Amino acid sequence: MRSVCVVGLGLIGGSVLRAAAAAGRDVWGTTGSTADAQSAIAEGFTVVDVDTALRRAAAEDALVVIAVPLPAVDGVLRKVGDLAPECLLTDVVSVKAPVADAVAKYAPSAQFAGGHPMAGKSVSGWEASAATLFDDAAWVVTADEETSLFAWREAAQLALDCGAGVVPTTTQEHDAAVARISHLPHVMAAVLAACGADGGPLAMALAAGSFSDGTRVAGSRPELVLAMCEGNRPALLDAVDDALGRLGAARGALASTGSLGATVQSGHSGRVTFDSYRTAGRAQAMVDLAGEDPMEELRLVGTRGGRVIGFDGDMAVVTLPVLSD
Amino acid sequence: MRSVCVVGLGLIGGSVLRAAAAAGRDVWGTTGSTADAQSAIAEGFTVVDVDTALRRAAAEDALVVIAVPLPAVDGVLRKVGDLAPECLLTDVVSVKAPVADAVAKYAPSAQFAGGHPMAGKSVSGWEASAATLFDDAAWVVTADEETSLFAWREAAQLALDCGAGVVPTTTQEHDAAVARISHLPHVMAAVLAACGADGGPLAMALAAGSFSDGTRVAGSRPELVLAMCEGNRPALLDAVDDALGRLGAARGALASTGSLGATVQSGHSGRVTFDSYRTAGRAQAMVDLAGEDPMEELRLVGTRGGRVIGFDGDMAVVTLPVLSD
């Protein structure tokens, strides 16, 4: 099994290190946090400085996993370009276009496929990490026109070894999707929380379930929310424009006819759709990776809401959602 | 103890009937649902037709509780005006201005104070009702300029007997507050759910905690959401305008400077404020109901986020939130 070098040992990076080790891989890591490094070493993990970690990755042909916050990605990739320029490379950052751009700029010879495990916790840092964090989670591995099947499959195998299912999709489609289902929810929660608090002590005393649920993620650490949302600016702008249009239409209908019927019905329909995916059955299929255009076949799996759950020789084993009516 | 006549035996009305009976009151009810009536009778409750129920309320000087959906309130109040025109009257409808207007129109001689228990469930109907539904919940009893202390105290005593704490406030302040913390959350959840579902199967496959929490109430029955939101049109328009302004400002900042700092910080601050009210300490105080302007004193309790938790002779025992820094 290919060894793994994890750069950044917070919640996600630490969990990748633990899960890859638990899967039997040779692993080592590096982190700018002395406290996280000491904790990981005390647990028996190998943690070294970033130069040593990347030199070892180059020497052992390891898979390098970038697991630092988006603002730190450029700096790490400069190091990769210097010390392990042709390495196998993936990342676990929540926005994919800026990482792909930085790879093209600083480590253009790396064999890269981007990654994003859809797993998290309200707490962060090594101490919160766990080998089981990714169990049954969706883990995007980007399959762009320029992505090599080799790099894609190496990144996908890591995700599978960590217990996740692999969602193949393009950088652009990933960023558009997470803008709607992850970043827009943070913006809406922030707007709702501010509107509620503006109602003063009476409103706060009366607030219950609907306000509490709708504003939960507004309690997340602002710097993490900002790094994520601001890093996905073009796609988030599209999503916010969609929300503005719908909220404006609701306002107009309420003011003119007094009806919120279209708004509430489309929202109910959207939530029912979401629930139907969560409870969907799963049909198994295969993608022949030795076929004519395997990357296009893989992208179709992602577009249809499916996942790669394993490899069998040159075949990718796939599950696709089967919605009940 | 004053007997209680409950009109409408769904989740809230049924729970009032049960809780008032459990508190030792003589209770009877009426409902348009044969199934609910049969279930309640099978459990030993007295359920009669609406005319009989209201005639008995007039004869026994009972407190009449309107517990029907907003669209049915006018019809019930016409009956009250005919059959029990001078009765003690309250309600448990989630919007207060339309009920107050209808009382003024159809039962102007009733001794009325409006009510709204901030309790609910995702399920509805008599079968979902419970005597404990209101335990520790906030229960608004409206204290307007024209509200008599006598009517207010009778409605408040019912809320206390049902296990709730009483929040005194005006009809207008109630409707403005719930627009922000109950109705706007439903509109925002509907918008978010529609925007997410528009992302297609890929977005649905990647959606997790933030989308799930942010859209939960979009799964509520549309007819209940519409009755609630559309019934609070003027106050909800103000709240939606506030949300539109904030969302538009977020859009503008993201497009121009790339920063969501102001949006995310104000949202985080709002959520922290909400949490601080949920974990606040409580200081006890008294309001002298024999004093100069007891209704104004009571309204101040609501404005400050406090509750009446009991009566001791002419004194209302009050708790006020004490926020830690």
Side-chain angles (χ1 to χ4, degrees), chain B:
Chain B
M1 297 172 90
R2 187 176 303 275
S3 54
V4 175
C5 166
V6 183
V7 182
L9 297 176
L11 170 65
I12 304 292
S15 297
V16 171
L17 193 79
R18 291 179 190 277
R25 301 226 196 188
D26 191 15
V27 302
W28 62 95
T30 181
T31 170
S33 158
T34 310
D36 285 352
Q38 286 172 341
S39 298
I41 289 166
E43 290 189 54
F45 290 99
T46 302
V47 181
V48 296
D49 68 89
V50 60
D51 287 22
T52 305
L54 291 174
R55 284 202 181 92
R56 181 172 164 191
E60 298 188 20
D61 203 13
L63 173 62
V64 175
V65 182
I66 310 288
V68 297
L70 184 59
V73 164
D74 282 11
V76 170
L77 283 172
R78 276 200 193 90
K79 290 270 188 194
V80 170
D82 285 348
L83 303 172
E86 297 183 349
C87 71
L88 270 162
L89 183 67
T90 189
D91 72 286
V92 291
V93 179
S94 57
V95 189
K96 303 267 57 70
V99 176
D101 292 348
V103 169
K105 185 168 178 184
Y106 299 114
S109 304
Q111 302 173 80
F112 173 70
H116 181 201
M118 307 302 293
K121 282 185 187 178
S122 58
V123 285
S124 50
W126 167 266
E127 295 297 341
S129 68
T132 55
L133 183 69
F134 310 112
D135 285 357
D136 293 323
W139 184 318
V140 169
V141 178
T142 54
D144 292 307
E145 286 296 329
E146 64 274 23
T147 310
S148 77
L149 179 60
F150 175 62
W152 187 86
R153 186 165 169 168
E154 289 286 337
Q157 188 62 56
L158 175 66
L160 294 171
D161 287 354
C162 290
V166 177
V167 178
T169 189
T170 64
T171 293
Q172 190 180 356
E173 283 181 283
H174 167 275
D175 287 358
V178 296
R180 285 175 182 271
I181 56 84
S182 174
H183 306 161
L184 182 62
H186 278 88
V187 174
M188 297 289 272
V191 167
L192 182 59
C195 287
D198 267 6
L202 174 66
M204 294 293 93
L206 299 183
S210 64
F211 185 76
S212 182
D213 284 355
T215 61
R216 186 186 60 84
V217 296
S220 310
R221 283 172 53 200
E223 62 272 29
L224 298 182
V225 175
L226 288 172
M228 184 170 75
C229 291
E230 292 172 1
N232 199 16
R233 181 174 168 177
L236 182 53
L237 276 173
D238 284 347
V240 170
D241 282 342
D242 189 0
L244 271 170
R246 290 178 181 278
L247 191 58
R251 201 270 174 218
L254 187 62
S256 60
T257 68
S259 169
L260 283 170
T263 300
V264 169
Q265 286 294 351
S266 66
H268 187 260
S269 165
R271 174 69 193 197
V272 167
T273 298
F274 171 60
D275 286 336
S276 74
Y277 276 93
R278 292 205 292 186
T279 58
R282 292 262 151 192
Q284 196 156 311
M286 295 284 189
V287 170
D288 184 356
L289 301 179
E292 199 169 315
D293 193 349
M295 296 306 277
E296 175 61 17
E297 295 293 318
L298 289 169
R299 284 191 290 268
L300 271 176
V301 170
T303 302
R304 294 168 65 188
R307 297 178 175 190
V308 174
I309 60 166
F311 296 110
D312 183 3
D314 274 342
M315 305 298 280
V317 185
V318 162
T319 64
L320 294 166
V322 180
L323 305 186
S324 50
D325 291 326

Side-chain angles (χ1 to χ4, degrees), chain A residues 137-142 152-153 155-161 163-169 298 301-302 306-311 317-319, chain B residues 206:
Chain A
W139 185 319
V140 169
V141 178
T142 54
W152 186 87
R153 186 164 168 170
Q157 188 62 57
L158 175 67
L160 294 171
D161 287 353
V166 177
V167 178
T169 188
L298 288 170
V301 170
R307 297 177 176 192
V308 174
I309 60 166
F311 296 110
V317 185
V318 161
T319 64
Chain B
L206 299 183

Side-chain angles (χ1 to χ4, degrees), chain A residues 193-212:
Chain A
C195 288
D198 267 6
L202 173 66
M204 292 294 94
L206 299 183
S210 64
F211 185 77
S212 182

Side-chain angles (χ1 to χ4, degrees), chain A:
Chain A
M1 297 172 90
R2 186 176 304 277
S3 53
V4 175
C5 165
V6 182
V7 182
L9 297 177
L11 171 66
I12 304 295
S15 298
V16 171
L17 193 79
R18 291 178 190 279
R25 301 228 196 186
D26 191 15
V27 302
W28 62 94
T30 181
T31 169
S33 158
T34 309
D36 284 353
Q38 286 174 342
S39 299
I41 290 168
E43 291 188 56
F45 289 99
T46 302
V47 180
V48 295
D49 67 89
V50 60
D51 287 23
T52 306
L54 290 174
R55 284 202 181 95
R56 180 173 165 190
E60 299 189 20
D61 203 14
L63 173 62
V64 175
V65 183
I66 310 287
V68 297
L70 184 59
V73 164
D74 280 13
V76 170
L77 283 172
R78 275 200 194 93
K79 292 268 187 193
V80 171
D82 285 349
L83 303 172
E86 296 184 348
C87 72
L88 272 161
L89 183 66
T90 189
D91 73 284
V92 290
V93 179
S94 57
V95 188
K96 303 269 54 68
V99 177
D101 292 347
V103 169
K105 185 168 178 185
Y106 299 114
S109 304
Q111 303 175 78
F112 173 70
H116 181 201
M118 308 301 293
K121 282 186 187 178
S122 58
V123 283
S124 50
W126 166 267
E127 295 297 341
S129 68
T132 55
L133 183 69
F134 310 112
D135 285 358
D136 293 322
W139 185 319
V140 169
V141 178
T142 54
D144 291 308
E145 286 298 328
E146 65 273 23
T147 309
S148 78
L149 179 58
F150 175 61
W152 186 87
R153 186 164 168 170
E154 290 286 337
Q157 188 62 57
L158 175 67
L160 294 171
D161 287 353
C162 289
V166 177
V167 178
T169 188
T170 64
T171 293
Q172 190 180 354
E173 284 180 280
H174 167 276
D175 287 358
V178 296
R180 285 175 181 272
I181 55 82
S182 174
H183 306 161
L184 183 61
H186 278 87
V187 174
M188 297 290 271
V191 167
L192 182 58
C195 288
D198 267 6
L202 173 66
M204 292 294 94
L206 299 183
S210 64
F211 185 77
S212 182
D213 284 356
T215 61
R216 186 186 60 83
V217 296
S220 310
R221 281 172 53 199
E223 62 272 29
L224 298 181
V225 176
L226 289 173
M228 184 170 77
C229 292
E230 293 173 1
N232 198 17
R233 182 172 165 177
L236 182 54
L237 276 172
D238 284 349
V240 170
D241 281 342
D242 189 0
L244 271 171
R246 290 179 181 278
L247 191 58
R251 201 269 175 217
L254 186 63
S256 60
T257 68
S259 170
L260 283 171
T263 300
V264 169
Q265 286 294 349
S266 66
H268 186 259
S269 164
R271 174 71 193 195
V272 167
T273 299
F274 171 61
D275 286 337
S276 74
Y277 276 92
R278 292 205 292 187
T279 58
R282 292 263 151 191
Q284 197 157 311
M286 295 285 189
V287 170
D288 184 357
L289 300 179
E292 199 168 318
D293 192 350
M295 295 306 277
E296 175 61 18
E297 294 294 318
L298 288 170
R299 285 191 289 269
L300 271 175
V301 170
T303 302
R304 294 167 66 190
R307 297 177 176 192
V308 174
I309 60 166
F311 296 110
D312 183 2
D314 275 341
M315 305 298 280
V317 185
V318 161
T319 64
L320 294 165
V322 180
L323 305 186
S324 51
D325 291 327

